[in-house]
Amino acid sequence: WYQRRVRESAEHCYYRWRLYSLLQGETFAKWRVEEFRMFKNGSMWKPPPIHSKADLNVIMGAVETKGEPQKQRGQLTNPQRDKLEDMLRGLTVERDTIGTCMHWCLQHADAAGEIVECISESLSILQTPPTVKAARLFLCNDLLYNSCAEVQNASFYRTKWLLTAGHLL
């Protein structure tokens, strides 16, 4: 009963069509609109109409909402970048500050590349006191340790650190 209901839902039909469409070489912005058969002797499928660019931006989630700066996928907004830099400047070797910063970084793991870049830049500043550098290294250690956590995109940290490690050595 449940599986049949899910299979017949509009969302399921859409994703079956979308997967088939992509496998046929079509894109998110352009696809054939005439009816077709997915399987020999199967039912006829009628793709949705192609939307205008503005509609596609809404569908793909690329529309800026009022009052919020537009955030590119995988990047921090300016206020988020400022917060990260403030946290890195105020980092101490105390467990609480490192834990708070690590938690914030994991919450923003989709921007792991930018976060790793910011941390590695902060480690390469020669005037930074050794205790602050140690705290930042503890943060790196905690991020690497927790990169296998069941947090979306947390594994990006391990990948990004591997690409950056040579620069720091």
Side-chain angles (χ1 to χ4, degrees), residues 37-108:
R37 289 188 197 275
M38 208 180 282
F39 307 103
K40 187 176 180 180
N41 300 325
S43 58
M44 293 298 290
W45 286 73
K46 183 177 180 188
I50 295 179
H51 301 282
S52 68
K53 274 222 184 258
D55 291 340
L56 282 174
N57 285 338
V58 171
I59 291 167
M60 300 302 284
V63 170
E64 183 177 325
T65 56
K66 286 185 178 178
E68 284 183 32
Q70 185 171 359
K71 180 185 178 211
Q72 296 291 321
R73 185 181 184 113
Q75 291 183 338
L76 298 172
T77 61
N78 287 337
Q80 290 172 332
R81 176 82 183 213
D82 293 341
K83 177 156 178 76
L84 175 62
E85 290 172 354
D86 289 343
M87 285 192 294
L88 289 174
R89 277 192 288 274
L91 210 56
T92 65
V93 292
E94 305 216 357
R95 182 180 287 174
D96 290 345
T97 61
I98 295 169
T100 301
C101 190
M102 181 205 57
H103 183 258
W104 186 92
C105 290
L106 286 175
Q107 285 181 321
H108 297 87

Side-chain angles (χ1 to χ4, degrees), residues 17 45 49 68 92 98-99 122 124 133 146 151 158 162:
W17 163 77
W45 286 73
E68 284 183 32
T92 65
I98 295 169
S122 74
S124 61
K133 279 191 180 186
N146 288 297
V151 174
R158 183 168 298 280
L162 286 172

Side-chain angles (χ1 to χ4, degrees), residues 15-50:
Y15 286 111
R16 277 179 49 199
W17 163 77
R18 174 50 73 196
L19 178 61
Y20 181 82
S21 170
L22 292 172
L23 290 172
Q24 300 305 309
E26 298 169 356
T27 67
F28 282 107
K30 195 168 188 175
W31 57 85
R32 63 180 166 181
V33 292
E34 61 274 355
E35 292 185 3
F36 66 96
R37 289 188 197 275
M38 208 180 282
F39 307 103
K40 187 176 180 180
N41 300 325
S43 58
M44 293 298 290
W45 286 73
K46 183 177 180 188
I50 295 179

